[in-house]
mmCIF file of all heavy atoms in Angstrom:
data_model
loop_
_atom_site.group_PDB
_atom_site.id
_atom_site.type_symbol
_atom_site.label_atom_id
_atom_site.label_comp_id
_atom_site.label_asym_id
_atom_site.label_seq_id
_atom_site.Cartn_x
_atom_site.Cartn_y
_atom_site.Cartn_z
ATOM 1 N N VAL A 1 -1.047 29.803 59.855
ATOM 2 C CA VAL A 1 -1.822 29.004 60.799
ATOM 3 C C VAL A 1 -1.131 27.653 60.969
ATOM 4 O O VAL A 1 -0.931 26.919 59.996
ATOM 5 C CB VAL A 1 -3.262 28.794 60.300
ATOM 6 C CG1 VAL A 1 -4.063 27.999 61.334
ATOM 7 C CG2 VAL A 1 -3.932 30.126 60.001
ATOM 8 N N ASP A 2 -0.747 27.342 62.186
ATOM 9 C CA ASP A 2 -0.115 26.063 62.481
ATOM 10 C C ASP A 2 -1.178 24.968 62.441
ATOM 11 O O ASP A 2 -2.056 24.908 63.308
ATOM 12 C CB ASP A 2 0.552 26.114 63.859
ATOM 13 C CG ASP A 2 1.338 24.845 64.196
ATOM 14 O OD1 ASP A 2 1.294 23.891 63.389
ATOM 15 O OD2 ASP A 2 1.984 24.818 65.252
ATOM 16 N N ASN A 3 -1.121 24.115 61.400
ATOM 17 C CA ASN A 3 -2.105 23.033 61.309
ATOM 18 C C ASN A 3 -1.572 21.716 61.871
ATOM 19 O O ASN A 3 -2.072 20.639 61.556
ATOM 20 C CB ASN A 3 -2.595 22.854 59.863
ATOM 21 C CG ASN A 3 -1.465 22.529 58.900
ATOM 22 O OD1 ASN A 3 -0.333 22.246 59.314
ATOM 23 N ND2 ASN A 3 -1.755 22.551 57.611
ATOM 24 N N GLU A 4 -0.533 21.839 62.716
ATOM 25 C CA GLU A 4 0.000 20.709 63.474
ATOM 26 C C GLU A 4 0.474 19.579 62.568
ATOM 27 O O GLU A 4 0.154 18.399 62.766
ATOM 28 C CB GLU A 4 -1.034 20.215 64.497
ATOM 29 C CG GLU A 4 -1.414 21.309 65.501
ATOM 30 C CD GLU A 4 -2.272 20.802 66.655
ATOM 31 O OE1 GLU A 4 -2.660 19.618 66.641
ATOM 32 O OE2 GLU A 4 -2.535 21.594 67.573
ATOM 33 N N THR A 5 1.275 19.958 61.562
ATOM 34 C CA THR A 5 1.937 18.982 60.704
ATOM 35 C C THR A 5 3.414 19.363 60.592
ATOM 36 O O THR A 5 3.811 20.487 60.911
ATOM 37 C CB THR A 5 1.324 18.956 59.288
ATOM 38 O OG1 THR A 5 1.504 20.246 58.670
ATOM 39 C CG2 THR A 5 -0.150 18.603 59.320
ATOM 40 N N SER A 6 4.224 18.413 60.143
ATOM 41 C CA SER A 6 5.641 18.672 59.911
ATOM 42 C C SER A 6 6.102 17.833 58.730
ATOM 43 O O SER A 6 5.883 16.616 58.701
ATOM 44 C CB SER A 6 6.471 18.331 61.155
ATOM 45 O OG SER A 6 7.850 18.581 60.922
ATOM 46 N N LYS A 7 6.725 18.482 57.761
ATOM 47 C CA LYS A 7 7.178 17.769 56.568
ATOM 48 C C LYS A 7 8.420 16.928 56.843
ATOM 49 O O LYS A 7 8.693 15.964 56.131
ATOM 50 C CB LYS A 7 7.478 18.775 55.448
ATOM 51 C CG LYS A 7 6.302 19.658 55.063
ATOM 52 C CD LYS A 7 6.718 20.685 54.022
ATOM 53 C CE LYS A 7 5.592 21.655 53.709
ATOM 54 N NZ LYS A 7 5.269 22.535 54.841
ATOM 55 N N PHE A 8 9.212 17.319 57.861
ATOM 56 C CA PHE A 8 10.482 16.664 58.150
ATOM 57 C C PHE A 8 10.565 16.341 59.638
ATOM 58 O O PHE A 8 9.723 16.767 60.428
ATOM 59 C CB PHE A 8 11.647 17.585 57.750
ATOM 60 C CG PHE A 8 11.531 18.134 56.362
ATOM 61 C CD1 PHE A 8 11.036 19.417 56.147
ATOM 62 C CD2 PHE A 8 11.879 17.374 55.260
ATOM 63 C CE1 PHE A 8 10.905 19.931 54.871
ATOM 64 C CE2 PHE A 8 11.749 17.871 53.970
ATOM 65 C CZ PHE A 8 11.260 19.153 53.773
ATOM 66 N N ASP A 9 11.620 15.614 60.016
ATOM 67 C CA ASP A 9 11.839 15.381 61.444
ATOM 68 C C ASP A 9 12.019 16.714 62.165
ATOM 69 O O ASP A 9 11.488 16.927 63.253
ATOM 70 C CB ASP A 9 13.093 14.525 61.657
ATOM 71 C CG ASP A 9 12.872 13.064 61.312
ATOM 72 O OD1 ASP A 9 11.733 12.687 60.962
ATOM 73 O OD2 ASP A 9 13.837 12.286 61.381
ATOM 74 N N LEU A 10 12.806 17.608 61.539
ATOM 75 C CA LEU A 10 13.108 18.902 62.165
ATOM 76 C C LEU A 10 13.395 19.927 61.080
ATOM 77 O O LEU A 10 14.075 19.629 60.094
ATOM 78 C CB LEU A 10 14.335 18.762 63.073
ATOM 79 C CG LEU A 10 14.766 20.005 63.868
ATOM 80 C CD1 LEU A 10 13.736 20.327 64.962
ATOM 81 C CD2 LEU A 10 16.141 19.794 64.489
ATOM 82 N N SER A 11 12.871 21.121 61.229
ATOM 83 C CA SER A 11 13.151 22.231 60.317
ATOM 84 C C SER A 11 13.409 23.486 61.128
ATOM 85 O O SER A 11 12.806 23.676 62.188
ATOM 86 C CB SER A 11 11.969 22.506 59.374
ATOM 87 O OG SER A 11 11.699 21.413 58.533
ATOM 88 N N LEU A 12 14.266 24.338 60.597
ATOM 89 C CA LEU A 12 14.411 25.693 61.138
ATOM 90 C C LEU A 12 14.141 26.661 60.009
ATOM 91 O O LEU A 12 14.760 26.576 58.939
ATOM 92 C CB LEU A 12 15.815 25.928 61.703
ATOM 93 C CG LEU A 12 16.094 27.356 62.198
ATOM 94 C CD1 LEU A 12 15.102 27.773 63.278
ATOM 95 C CD2 LEU A 12 17.529 27.495 62.706
ATOM 96 N N GLU A 13 13.199 27.557 60.217
ATOM 97 C CA GLU A 13 12.856 28.562 59.212
ATOM 98 C C GLU A 13 12.936 29.940 59.846
ATOM 99 O O GLU A 13 12.363 30.176 60.912
ATOM 100 C CB GLU A 13 11.456 28.310 58.656
ATOM 101 C CG GLU A 13 11.053 29.276 57.554
ATOM 102 C CD GLU A 13 9.863 28.782 56.758
ATOM 103 O OE1 GLU A 13 9.806 27.580 56.418
ATOM 104 O OE2 GLU A 13 8.973 29.615 56.473
ATOM 105 N N LEU A 14 13.655 30.845 59.182
ATOM 106 C CA LEU A 14 13.838 32.197 59.686
ATOM 107 C C LEU A 14 13.431 33.200 58.620
ATOM 108 O O LEU A 14 13.741 33.033 57.441
ATOM 109 C CB LEU A 14 15.312 32.441 60.060
ATOM 110 C CG LEU A 14 15.896 31.552 61.165
ATOM 111 C CD1 LEU A 14 17.402 31.730 61.239
ATOM 112 C CD2 LEU A 14 15.257 31.879 62.506
ATOM 113 N N VAL A 15 12.718 34.241 59.020
ATOM 114 C CA VAL A 15 12.428 35.378 58.150
ATOM 115 C C VAL A 15 13.402 36.477 58.558
ATOM 116 O O VAL A 15 13.221 37.130 59.590
ATOM 117 C CB VAL A 15 10.970 35.848 58.279
ATOM 118 C CG1 VAL A 15 10.714 37.036 57.350
ATOM 119 C CG2 VAL A 15 10.012 34.704 57.962
ATOM 120 N N ALA A 16 14.457 36.653 57.779
ATOM 121 C CA ALA A 16 15.573 37.531 58.167
ATOM 122 C C ALA A 16 15.377 38.928 57.609
ATOM 123 O O ALA A 16 16.014 39.349 56.653
ATOM 124 C CB ALA A 16 16.901 36.944 57.697
ATOM 125 N N THR A 17 14.439 39.662 58.183
ATOM 126 C CA THR A 17 14.223 41.060 57.818
ATOM 127 C C THR A 17 14.242 41.858 59.115
ATOM 128 O O THR A 17 13.362 41.702 59.947
ATOM 129 C CB THR A 17 12.881 41.247 57.094
ATOM 130 O OG1 THR A 17 11.839 40.714 57.909
ATOM 131 C CG2 THR A 17 12.878 40.548 55.750
ATOM 132 N N GLY A 18 15.258 42.726 59.288
ATOM 133 C CA GLY A 18 15.475 43.367 60.588
ATOM 134 C C GLY A 18 16.060 42.313 61.508
ATOM 135 O O GLY A 18 17.156 41.822 61.296
ATOM 136 N N GLY A 19 15.320 41.918 62.534
ATOM 137 C CA GLY A 19 15.695 40.748 63.303
ATOM 138 C C GLY A 19 15.226 39.520 62.546
ATOM 139 O O GLY A 19 14.744 39.608 61.418
ATOM 140 N N ALA A 20 15.370 38.348 63.126
ATOM 141 C CA ALA A 20 14.930 37.123 62.464
ATOM 142 C C ALA A 20 13.886 36.444 63.335
ATOM 143 O O ALA A 20 14.198 35.946 64.416
ATOM 144 C CB ALA A 20 16.110 36.195 62.207
ATOM 145 N N ALA A 21 12.641 36.460 62.886
ATOM 146 C CA ALA A 21 11.559 35.776 63.584
ATOM 147 C C ALA A 21 11.191 34.544 62.776
ATOM 148 O O ALA A 21 10.944 34.640 61.575
ATOM 149 C CB ALA A 21 10.359 36.700 63.743
ATOM 150 N N GLY A 22 11.194 33.411 63.395
ATOM 151 C CA GLY A 22 10.883 32.190 62.678
ATOM 152 C C GLY A 22 10.414 31.117 63.633
ATOM 153 O O GLY A 22 9.774 31.411 64.639
ATOM 154 N N PHE A 23 10.739 29.871 63.309
ATOM 155 C CA PHE A 23 10.245 28.774 64.129
ATOM 156 C C PHE A 23 11.037 27.505 63.835
ATOM 157 O O PHE A 23 11.645 27.350 62.770
ATOM 158 C CB PHE A 23 8.766 28.517 63.844
ATOM 159 C CG PHE A 23 8.450 28.309 62.382
ATOM 160 C CD1 PHE A 23 8.599 27.062 61.782
ATOM 161 C CD2 PHE A 23 8.037 29.376 61.597
ATOM 162 C CE1 PHE A 23 8.328 26.883 60.440
ATOM 163 C CE2 PHE A 23 7.764 29.204 60.240
ATOM 164 C CZ PHE A 23 7.913 27.955 59.660
ATOM 165 N N PHE A 24 11.052 26.620 64.816
ATOM 166 C CA PHE A 24 11.401 25.222 64.610
ATOM 167 C C PHE A 24 10.106 24.477 64.330
ATOM 168 O O PHE A 24 9.134 24.608 65.083
ATOM 169 C CB PHE A 24 12.058 24.623 65.851
ATOM 170 C CG PHE A 24 13.538 24.854 65.960
ATOM 171 C CD1 PHE A 24 14.040 25.865 66.760
ATOM 172 C CD2 PHE A 24 14.430 24.065 65.258
ATOM 173 C CE1 PHE A 24 15.406 26.087 66.874
ATOM 174 C CE2 PHE A 24 15.796 24.266 65.358
ATOM 175 C CZ PHE A 24 16.293 25.287 66.157
ATOM 176 N N GLU A 25 10.066 23.723 63.250
ATOM 177 C CA GLU A 25 8.946 22.826 62.989
ATOM 178 C C GLU A 25 9.457 21.410 63.225
ATOM 179 O O GLU A 25 10.523 21.051 62.730
ATOM 180 C CB GLU A 25 8.451 22.987 61.553
ATOM 181 C CG GLU A 25 7.222 22.151 61.229
ATOM 182 C CD GLU A 25 6.719 22.397 59.810
ATOM 183 O OE1 GLU A 25 5.937 23.345 59.623
ATOM 184 O OE2 GLU A 25 7.142 21.662 58.896
ATOM 185 N N TYR A 26 8.710 20.607 63.986
ATOM 186 C CA TYR A 26 9.253 19.316 64.388
ATOM 187 C C TYR A 26 8.177 18.238 64.411
ATOM 188 O O TYR A 26 6.987 18.517 64.596
ATOM 189 C CB TYR A 26 9.900 19.426 65.773
ATOM 190 C CG TYR A 26 8.952 19.804 66.893
ATOM 191 C CD1 TYR A 26 8.413 18.841 67.743
ATOM 192 C CD2 TYR A 26 8.573 21.136 67.101
ATOM 193 C CE1 TYR A 26 7.539 19.187 68.766
ATOM 194 C CE2 TYR A 26 7.706 21.496 68.129
ATOM 195 C CZ TYR A 26 7.188 20.519 68.957
ATOM 196 O OH TYR A 26 6.315 20.871 69.963
ATOM 197 N N SER A 27 8.619 17.012 64.202
ATOM 198 C CA SER A 27 7.724 15.866 64.293
ATOM 199 C C SER A 27 7.446 15.568 65.759
ATOM 200 O O SER A 27 8.377 15.357 66.545
ATOM 201 C CB SER A 27 8.365 14.644 63.629
ATOM 202 O OG SER A 27 7.642 13.461 63.953
ATOM 203 N N THR A 28 6.173 15.523 66.111
ATOM 204 C CA THR A 28 5.815 15.208 67.497
ATOM 205 C C THR A 28 5.947 13.720 67.773
ATOM 206 O O THR A 28 5.775 13.291 68.925
ATOM 207 C CB THR A 28 4.387 15.685 67.805
ATOM 208 O OG1 THR A 28 3.490 15.183 66.799
ATOM 209 C CG2 THR A 28 4.311 17.199 67.824
ATOM 210 N N GLU A 29 6.237 12.927 66.742
ATOM 211 C CA GLU A 29 6.533 11.509 66.941
ATOM 212 C C GLU A 29 8.019 11.268 67.166
ATOM 213 O O GLU A 29 8.440 10.124 67.344
ATOM 214 C CB GLU A 29 6.046 10.703 65.743
ATOM 215 C CG GLU A 29 4.533 10.690 65.605
ATOM 216 C CD GLU A 29 4.048 9.860 64.442
ATOM 217 O OE1 GLU A 29 4.807 9.704 63.463
ATOM 218 O OE2 GLU A 29 2.920 9.360 64.516
ATOM 219 N N ARG A 30 8.797 12.364 67.158
ATOM 220 C CA ARG A 30 10.248 12.242 67.357
ATOM 221 C C ARG A 30 10.740 13.075 68.539
ATOM 222 O O ARG A 30 11.637 12.670 69.262
ATOM 223 C CB ARG A 30 10.994 12.702 66.089
ATOM 224 C CG ARG A 30 10.587 11.990 64.820
ATOM 225 C CD ARG A 30 11.081 10.570 64.786
ATOM 226 N NE ARG A 30 12.479 10.513 64.371
ATOM 227 C CZ ARG A 30 13.268 9.461 64.557
ATOM 228 N NH1 ARG A 30 12.804 8.408 65.187
ATOM 229 N NH2 ARG A 30 14.525 9.468 64.150
ATOM 230 N N PHE A 31 10.143 14.266 68.710
ATOM 231 C CA PHE A 31 10.656 15.203 69.715
ATOM 232 C C PHE A 31 9.536 15.704 70.622
ATOM 233 O O PHE A 31 8.392 15.866 70.182
ATOM 234 C CB PHE A 31 11.307 16.417 69.038
ATOM 235 C CG PHE A 31 12.449 16.076 68.123
ATOM 236 C CD1 PHE A 31 12.264 16.051 66.751
ATOM 237 C CD2 PHE A 31 13.705 15.790 68.627
ATOM 238 C CE1 PHE A 31 13.311 15.739 65.889
ATOM 239 C CE2 PHE A 31 14.759 15.484 67.790
ATOM 240 C CZ PHE A 31 14.566 15.452 66.421
ATOM 241 N N SER A 32 9.896 16.006 71.851
ATOM 242 C CA SER A 32 8.967 16.668 72.773
ATOM 243 C C SER A 32 9.116 18.179 72.633
ATOM 244 O O SER A 32 10.145 18.677 72.147
ATOM 245 C CB SER A 32 9.276 16.262 74.216
ATOM 246 O OG SER A 32 10.524 16.801 74.632
#
């Protein structure tokens, strides 16, 4: 559940099983 927080300015997380489904997590005070 995305609780609209980010630990860092920018993160990339991938679950690499078969294909790779993941996400960019980003600070909304830094990036649009």
